[in-house]
Structure formats: C-alpha cells, structure tokens
Amino acid sequence: LQWLCYSNSKDQIPKRRLMRFFSSLYQVLRRGARAVLQFYPETSEHAILISECAAKVGFAGGIVVDYPNSTKAKKHYLVLSFERAYKAPAGLTGMEGSLLNGEREGVRVADKDPKKAGR
C-alpha cells in the first residue's frame, strides 16, 4: 500500500493512484465487509494521504498503530468498513501481556467452524 505513495515521474500522481486502488477495493467488497491492510508509511503525510483517499471513496475506519513507541515493533494498519459509524479499534501498547499471565476475563476465542459452535 505504501508503494502507491511514490512517483517515479511527473505523470505519476500518488493521490490518483490511491483513489483508483480504494475505488476498486470499494467495488469488490460486499456491503458490511471490513478490510484491514498492514502498511509501513515512510512519513506521517503518507499515512494521512492514504486514510484521506480511503475516506473520500466512502470507507469509514482509520489507522491503528500497534506499539507506537517502539521503532522495531511499530505496525500500521488501515482498518476499513462500509459502516459510516464504525470506529477503528485501539492499537496495542505493550501492556496486553497481562492477558497472557492468566488474567483472561472478558476474552473469548470464537470457534473456527461456525457449524460446530452449537455442539
């Protein structure tokens, strides 16, 4: 996704390229669907341009950053939805380790096969 922000010549316009990508994505996704794209923006301007182009096409959502204070573990996710009231989830901060130490209250893991869920 971040590669769409670069231009190798004057006739290549990153904003136009991003708009075409998000328009195509919007057309192929079913209504009610969500999409999550991991990307690595070179600058904050690239991240803003990506999210603005997605919003102009009609997507709701936003950018989620996991481990924002880490240089090595930082990950950017563009979370997109058709629902206009959709709010992107909060990113991980590194304090989630308590879930791995037995404090699993409120955490539910869904069955992989929905047909077996009722058995």
Side-chain angles (χ1 to χ4, degrees), residues 4-17:
L4 298 175
C5 294
Y6 299 110
S7 60
N8 296 322
S9 63
K10 291 182 181 180
D11 63 329
Q12 294 179 348
I13 303 168
K15 187 172 184 175
R16 185 182 307 158
R17 203 181 293 161

Side-chain angles (χ1 to χ4, degrees), residues 30-48:
R30 289 184 174 173
R31 301 292 174 234
R34 293 184 185 146
V36 179
L37 307 169
Q38 183 179 2
F39 68 106
Y40 299 93
E42 189 171 304
T43 65
S44 59
E45 288 82 16
H46 283 178
I48 292 169

Side-chain angles (χ1 to χ4, degrees), residues 21-113:
F21 171 77
F22 287 119
S23 294
S24 298
L25 184 62
Y26 195 85
Q27 290 173 357
V28 298
L29 288 179
R30 289 184 174 173
R31 301 292 174 234
R34 293 184 185 146
V36 179
L37 307 169
Q38 183 179 2
F39 68 106
Y40 299 93
E42 189 171 304
T43 65
S44 59
E45 288 82 16
H46 283 178
I48 292 169
L49 177 65
I50 289 169
S51 63
E52 285 178 348
C53 289
K56 283 183 183 178
V57 167
F59 283 113
I63 295 176
V64 176
V65 180
D66 281 351
Y67 309 108
N69 298 323
S70 172
T71 56
K72 291 185 178 182
K74 184 187 292 189
K75 293 184 176 27
H76 293 80
Y77 300 95
L78 180 64
V79 182
L80 303 173
S81 174
F82 280 97
E83 302 170 25
R84 296 306 289 162
Y86 180 76
K87 300 284 187 222
L92 299 176
T93 61
M95 301 305 293
E96 292 78 15
S98 62
L99 290 176
L100 301 176
N101 294 331
E103 299 175 21
R104 300 181 66 98
E105 298 170 7
V107 177
R108 181 177 179 275
V109 179
D111 293 323
K112 290 182 180 179
D113 187 357

